[in-house]
PDB file of all heavy atoms in Angstrom:
ATOM      1  N   MET K1309     -31.854 155.249-150.569  1.00 87.00           N
ATOM      2  CA  MET K1309     -31.239 153.912-150.451  1.00 87.00           C
ATOM      3  C   MET K1309     -31.349 153.348-149.061  1.00 87.00           C
ATOM      4  O   MET K1309     -31.788 152.191-148.838  1.00 87.00           O
ATOM      5  CB  MET K1309     -29.770 153.973-150.844  1.00 87.00           C
ATOM      6  CG  MET K1309     -29.100 152.656-151.030  1.00 87.00           C
ATOM      7  SD  MET K1309     -27.270 152.768-151.139  1.00 87.00           S
ATOM      8  CE  MET K1309     -27.169 154.136-152.330  1.00 87.00           C
ATOM      9  N   THR K1310     -31.006 154.143-147.992  1.00 87.00           N
ATOM     10  CA  THR K1310     -31.131 153.682-146.605  1.00 87.00           C
ATOM     11  C   THR K1310     -32.603 153.394-146.263  1.00 87.00           C
ATOM     12  O   THR K1310     -32.862 152.381-145.591  1.00 87.00           O
ATOM     13  CB  THR K1310     -30.569 154.774-145.709  1.00 87.00           C
ATOM     14  OG1 THR K1310     -29.259 155.156-146.049  1.00 87.00           O
ATOM     15  CG2 THR K1310     -30.550 154.265-144.297  1.00 87.00           C
ATOM     16  N   SER K1311     -33.557 154.248-146.702  1.00 86.00           N
ATOM     17  CA  SER K1311     -34.958 154.029-146.364  1.00 86.00           C
ATOM     18  C   SER K1311     -35.451 152.758-146.977  1.00 86.00           C
ATOM     19  O   SER K1311     -36.235 151.956-146.370  1.00 86.00           O
ATOM     20  CB  SER K1311     -35.777 155.233-146.886  1.00 86.00           C
ATOM     21  OG  SER K1311     -35.403 156.426-146.287  1.00 86.00           O
ATOM     22  N   PHE K1312     -34.982 152.477-148.156  1.00 88.00           N
ATOM     23  CA  PHE K1312     -35.458 151.211-148.884  1.00 88.00           C
ATOM     24  C   PHE K1312     -34.941 150.000-148.078  1.00 88.00           C
ATOM     25  O   PHE K1312     -35.704 149.083-147.786  1.00 88.00           O
ATOM     26  CB  PHE K1312     -34.859 151.214-150.256  1.00 88.00           C
ATOM     27  CG  PHE K1312     -34.994 149.959-150.993  1.00 88.00           C
ATOM     28  CD1 PHE K1312     -36.172 149.497-151.457  1.00 88.00           C
ATOM     29  CD2 PHE K1312     -33.862 149.093-151.157  1.00 88.00           C
ATOM     30  CE1 PHE K1312     -36.333 148.302-152.108  1.00 88.00           C
ATOM     31  CE2 PHE K1312     -34.001 147.874-151.858  1.00 88.00           C
ATOM     32  CZ  PHE K1312     -35.254 147.475-152.310  1.00 88.00           C
ATOM     33  N   TRP K1313     -33.719 150.006-147.656  1.00 89.00           N
ATOM     34  CA  TRP K1313     -33.118 148.845-146.940  1.00 89.00           C
ATOM     35  C   TRP K1313     -33.631 148.735-145.524  1.00 89.00           C
ATOM     36  O   TRP K1313     -33.598 147.617-144.957  1.00 89.00           O
ATOM     37  CB  TRP K1313     -31.612 148.816-147.044  1.00 89.00           C
ATOM     38  CG  TRP K1313     -31.111 148.424-148.378  1.00 89.00           C
ATOM     39  CD1 TRP K1313     -30.602 149.195-149.362  1.00 89.00           C
ATOM     40  CD2 TRP K1313     -31.196 147.067-148.929  1.00 89.00           C
ATOM     41  NE1 TRP K1313     -30.348 148.440-150.452  1.00 89.00           N
ATOM     42  CE2 TRP K1313     -30.651 147.198-150.258  1.00 89.00           C
ATOM     43  CE3 TRP K1313     -31.602 145.837-148.447  1.00 89.00           C
ATOM     44  CZ2 TRP K1313     -30.551 146.024-151.052  1.00 89.00           C
ATOM     45  CZ3 TRP K1313     -31.500 144.726-149.270  1.00 89.00           C
ATOM     46  CH2 TRP K1313     -31.022 144.865-150.500  1.00 89.00           C
ATOM     47  N   ILE K1314     -34.066 149.876-144.906  1.00 88.00           N
ATOM     48  CA  ILE K1314     -34.638 149.768-143.598  1.00 88.00           C
ATOM     49  C   ILE K1314     -35.918 148.959-143.614  1.00 88.00           C
ATOM     50  O   ILE K1314     -36.168 148.200-142.619  1.00 88.00           O
ATOM     51  CB  ILE K1314     -34.931 151.213-143.034  1.00 88.00           C
ATOM     52  CG1 ILE K1314     -33.564 151.838-142.529  1.00 88.00           C
ATOM     53  CG2 ILE K1314     -35.871 151.213-141.873  1.00 88.00           C
ATOM     54  CD1 ILE K1314     -33.734 153.283-142.133  1.00 88.00           C
ATOM     55  N   LYS K1315     -36.672 149.117-144.654  1.00 87.00           N
ATOM     56  CA  LYS K1315     -38.005 148.349-144.767  1.00 87.00           C
ATOM     57  C   LYS K1315     -37.645 146.842-144.822  1.00 87.00           C
ATOM     58  O   LYS K1315     -38.327 145.999-144.179  1.00 87.00           O
ATOM     59  CB  LYS K1315     -38.736 148.785-145.997  1.00 87.00           C
ATOM     60  CG  LYS K1315     -39.215 150.254-145.927  1.00 87.00           C
ATOM     61  CD  LYS K1315     -39.833 150.659-147.251  1.00 87.00           C
ATOM     62  CE  LYS K1315     -40.162 152.145-147.251  1.00 87.00           C
ATOM     63  NZ  LYS K1315     -40.733 152.636-148.505  1.00 87.00           N
ATOM     64  N   ILE K1316     -36.677 146.443-145.576  1.00 89.00           N
ATOM     65  CA  ILE K1316     -36.253 145.024-145.692  1.00 89.00           C
ATOM     66  C   ILE K1316     -35.676 144.574-144.379  1.00 89.00           C
ATOM     67  O   ILE K1316     -35.915 143.379-143.943  1.00 89.00           O
ATOM     68  CB  ILE K1316     -35.310 144.841-146.846  1.00 89.00           C
ATOM     69  CG1 ILE K1316     -36.028 145.185-148.183  1.00 89.00           C
ATOM     70  CG2 ILE K1316     -34.725 143.423-146.894  1.00 89.00           C
ATOM     71  CD1 ILE K1316     -35.172 145.057-149.438  1.00 89.00           C
ATOM     72  N   PHE K1317     -34.879 145.427-143.726  1.00 89.00           N
ATOM     73  CA  PHE K1317     -34.334 145.056-142.396  1.00 89.00           C
ATOM     74  C   PHE K1317     -35.460 144.747-141.437  1.00 89.00           C
ATOM     75  O   PHE K1317     -35.422 143.837-140.678  1.00 89.00           O
ATOM     76  CB  PHE K1317     -33.413 146.198-141.914  1.00 89.00           C
ATOM     77  CG  PHE K1317     -32.945 146.025-140.522  1.00 89.00           C
ATOM     78  CD1 PHE K1317     -31.686 145.365-140.338  1.00 89.00           C
ATOM     79  CD2 PHE K1317     -33.617 146.490-139.435  1.00 89.00           C
ATOM     80  CE1 PHE K1317     -31.239 145.191-139.021  1.00 89.00           C
ATOM     81  CE2 PHE K1317     -33.158 146.270-138.131  1.00 89.00           C
ATOM     82  CZ  PHE K1317     -31.921 145.607-137.855  1.00 89.00           C
ATOM     83  N   ALA K1318     -36.462 145.599-141.395  1.00 85.00           N
ATOM     84  CA  ALA K1318     -37.589 145.456-140.469  1.00 85.00           C
ATOM     85  C   ALA K1318     -38.342 144.103-140.740  1.00 85.00           C
ATOM     86  O   ALA K1318     -38.727 143.449-139.762  1.00 85.00           O
ATOM     87  CB  ALA K1318     -38.595 146.631-140.574  1.00 85.00           C
ATOM     88  N   LEU K1319     -38.563 143.760-141.984  1.00 87.00           N
ATOM     89  CA  LEU K1319     -39.229 142.580-142.348  1.00 87.00           C
ATOM     90  C   LEU K1319     -38.399 141.372-141.891  1.00 87.00           C
ATOM     91  O   LEU K1319     -38.883 140.471-141.194  1.00 87.00           O
ATOM     92  CB  LEU K1319     -39.414 142.478-143.833  1.00 87.00           C
ATOM     93  CG  LEU K1319     -39.950 141.086-144.380  1.00 87.00           C
ATOM     94  CD1 LEU K1319     -41.278 140.811-143.862  1.00 87.00           C
ATOM     95  CD2 LEU K1319     -39.948 141.127-145.918  1.00 87.00           C
ATOM     96  N   THR K1320     -37.094 141.392-142.064  1.00 86.00           N
ATOM     97  CA  THR K1320     -36.225 140.370-141.627  1.00 86.00           C
ATOM     98  C   THR K1320     -36.133 140.204-140.064  1.00 86.00           C
ATOM     99  O   THR K1320     -36.177 139.106-139.545  1.00 86.00           O
ATOM    100  CB  THR K1320     -34.815 140.509-142.219  1.00 86.00           C
ATOM    101  OG1 THR K1320     -34.905 140.783-143.645  1.00 86.00           O
ATOM    102  CG2 THR K1320     -33.927 139.361-142.004  1.00 86.00           C
ATOM    103  N   PHE K1321     -36.052 141.358-139.457  1.00 83.00           N
ATOM    104  CA  PHE K1321     -35.992 141.439-138.039  1.00 83.00           C
ATOM    105  C   PHE K1321     -37.224 140.733-137.360  1.00 83.00           C
ATOM    106  O   PHE K1321     -37.096 139.920-136.426  1.00 83.00           O
ATOM    107  CB  PHE K1321     -35.852 142.865-137.508  1.00 83.00           C
ATOM    108  CG  PHE K1321     -35.789 142.975-136.049  1.00 83.00           C
ATOM    109  CD1 PHE K1321     -34.604 142.827-135.322  1.00 83.00           C
ATOM    110  CD2 PHE K1321     -36.944 143.357-135.310  1.00 83.00           C
ATOM    111  CE1 PHE K1321     -34.591 142.958-133.958  1.00 83.00           C
ATOM    112  CE2 PHE K1321     -36.915 143.498-133.996  1.00 83.00           C
ATOM    113  CZ  PHE K1321     -35.707 143.293-133.267  1.00 83.00           C
ATOM    114  N   ALA K1322     -38.427 141.046-137.918  1.00 80.00           N
ATOM    115  CA  ALA K1322     -39.618 140.517-137.381  1.00 80.00           C
ATOM    116  C   ALA K1322     -39.714 138.958-137.515  1.00 80.00           C
ATOM    117  O   ALA K1322     -40.042 138.306-136.562  1.00 80.00           O
ATOM    118  CB  ALA K1322     -40.861 141.128-138.081  1.00 80.00           C
ATOM    119  N   ILE K1323     -39.353 138.458-138.627  1.00 82.00           N
ATOM    120  CA  ILE K1323     -39.367 137.000-138.790  1.00 82.00           C
ATOM    121  C   ILE K1323     -38.312 136.362-137.932  1.00 82.00           C
ATOM    122  O   ILE K1323     -38.482 135.311-137.344  1.00 82.00           O
ATOM    123  CB  ILE K1323     -39.104 136.658-140.270  1.00 82.00           C
ATOM    124  CG1 ILE K1323     -40.213 137.229-141.191  1.00 82.00           C
ATOM    125  CG2 ILE K1323     -39.096 135.134-140.454  1.00 82.00           C
ATOM    126  CD1 ILE K1323     -41.604 136.546-141.081  1.00 82.00           C
ATOM    127  N   GLY K1324     -37.154 136.963-137.821  1.00 80.00           N
ATOM    128  CA  GLY K1324     -36.068 136.452-136.999  1.00 80.00           C
ATOM    129  C   GLY K1324     -36.449 136.345-135.523  1.00 80.00           C
ATOM    130  O   GLY K1324     -36.150 135.322-134.909  1.00 80.00           O
ATOM    131  N   VAL K1325     -37.072 137.367-134.997  1.00 77.00           N
ATOM    132  CA  VAL K1325     -37.550 137.323-133.624  1.00 77.00           C
ATOM    133  C   VAL K1325     -38.535 136.199-133.392  1.00 77.00           C
ATOM    134  O   VAL K1325     -38.491 135.447-132.426  1.00 77.00           O
ATOM    135  CB  VAL K1325     -38.079 138.690-133.164  1.00 77.00           C
ATOM    136  CG1 VAL K1325     -38.701 138.561-131.804  1.00 77.00           C
ATOM    137  CG2 VAL K1325     -36.935 139.776-133.117  1.00 77.00           C
ATOM    138  N   ALA K1326     -39.489 136.110-134.329  1.00 75.00           N
ATOM    139  CA  ALA K1326     -40.573 135.143-134.157  1.00 75.00           C
ATOM    140  C   ALA K1326     -40.019 133.713-134.170  1.00 75.00           C
ATOM    141  O   ALA K1326     -40.420 132.851-133.398  1.00 75.00           O
ATOM    142  CB  ALA K1326     -41.605 135.320-135.303  1.00 75.00           C
ATOM    143  N   THR K1327     -39.069 133.465-135.033  1.00 78.00           N
ATOM    144  CA  THR K1327     -38.495 132.107-135.117  1.00 78.00           C
ATOM    145  C   THR K1327     -37.492 131.848-133.992  1.00 78.00           C
ATOM    146  O   THR K1327     -37.345 130.659-133.545  1.00 78.00           O
ATOM    147  CB  THR K1327     -37.843 131.871-136.479  1.00 78.00           C
ATOM    148  OG1 THR K1327     -36.805 132.891-136.641  1.00 78.00           O
ATOM    149  CG2 THR K1327     -38.831 131.991-137.601  1.00 78.00           C
ATOM    150  N   GLY K1328     -36.827 132.887-133.501  1.00 74.00           N
ATOM    151  CA  GLY K1328     -35.907 132.685-132.399  1.00 74.00           C
ATOM    152  C   GLY K1328     -36.464 132.326-131.060  1.00 74.00           C
ATOM    153  O   GLY K1328     -35.873 131.637-130.269  1.00 74.00           O
ATOM    154  N   LEU K1329     -37.745 132.761-130.824  1.00 74.00           N
ATOM    155  CA  LEU K1329     -38.375 132.493-129.551  1.00 74.00           C
ATOM    156  C   LEU K1329     -38.560 130.994-129.289  1.00 74.00           C
ATOM    157  O   LEU K1329     -38.597 130.521-128.179  1.00 74.00           O
ATOM    158  CB  LEU K1329     -39.741 133.200-129.484  1.00 74.00           C
ATOM    159  CG  LEU K1329     -39.663 134.695-129.346  1.00 74.00           C
ATOM    160  CD1 LEU K1329     -41.112 135.283-129.465  1.00 74.00           C
ATOM    161  CD2 LEU K1329     -39.044 135.139-128.077  1.00 74.00           C
ATOM    162  N   VAL K1330     -38.709 130.220-130.400  1.00 74.00           N
ATOM    163  CA  VAL K1330     -38.933 128.768-130.268  1.00 74.00           C
ATOM    164  C   VAL K1330     -37.686 128.116-129.600  1.00 74.00           C
ATOM    165  O   VAL K1330     -37.864 127.113-128.941  1.00 74.00           O
ATOM    166  CB  VAL K1330     -39.116 128.166-131.699  1.00 74.00           C
ATOM    167  CG1 VAL K1330     -39.356 126.629-131.589  1.00 74.00           C
ATOM    168  CG2 VAL K1330     -40.333 128.879-132.355  1.00 74.00           C
ATOM    169  N   GLN K1331     -36.538 128.600-129.819  1.00 72.00           N
ATOM    170  CA  GLN K1331     -35.318 127.906-129.273  1.00 72.00           C
ATOM    171  C   GLN K1331     -35.340 127.779-127.766  1.00 72.00           C
ATOM    172  O   GLN K1331     -34.895 126.783-127.224  1.00 72.00           O
ATOM    173  CB  GLN K1331     -34.050 128.729-129.739  1.00 72.00           C
ATOM    174  CG  GLN K1331     -33.981 129.091-131.182  1.00 72.00           C
ATOM    175  CD  GLN K1331     -34.282 127.873-132.095  1.00 72.00           C
ATOM    176  OE1 GLN K1331     -33.773 126.821-131.913  1.00 72.00           O
ATOM    177  NE2 GLN K1331     -35.042 128.046-133.143  1.00 72.00           N
ATOM    178  N   ALA K1332     -35.775 128.850-127.076  1.00 68.00           N
ATOM    179  CA  ALA K1332     -35.771 128.848-125.648  1.00 68.00           C
ATOM    180  C   ALA K1332     -36.648 127.713-125.123  1.00 68.00           C
ATOM    181  O   ALA K1332     -36.300 127.009-124.125  1.00 68.00           O
ATOM    182  CB  ALA K1332     -36.242 130.183-125.076  1.00 68.00           C
TER     183      ALA K1332
END
């Protein structure tokens, strides 16, 4: 269960970082 959600966490984290850089 944890391994499954880690993959989704990683996907979300990557998109979040990419979109967050624009704010600065």
Side-chain angles (χ1 to χ4, degrees):
M1309 189 192 312
T1310 307
S1311 298
F1312 169 74
W1313 283 106
I1314 283 175
K1315 296 173 185 176
I1316 295 178
F1317 175 89
L1319 172 63
T1320 309
F1321 178 81
I1323 299 288
V1325 170
T1327 55
L1329 291 173
V1330 179
Q1331 311 309 317

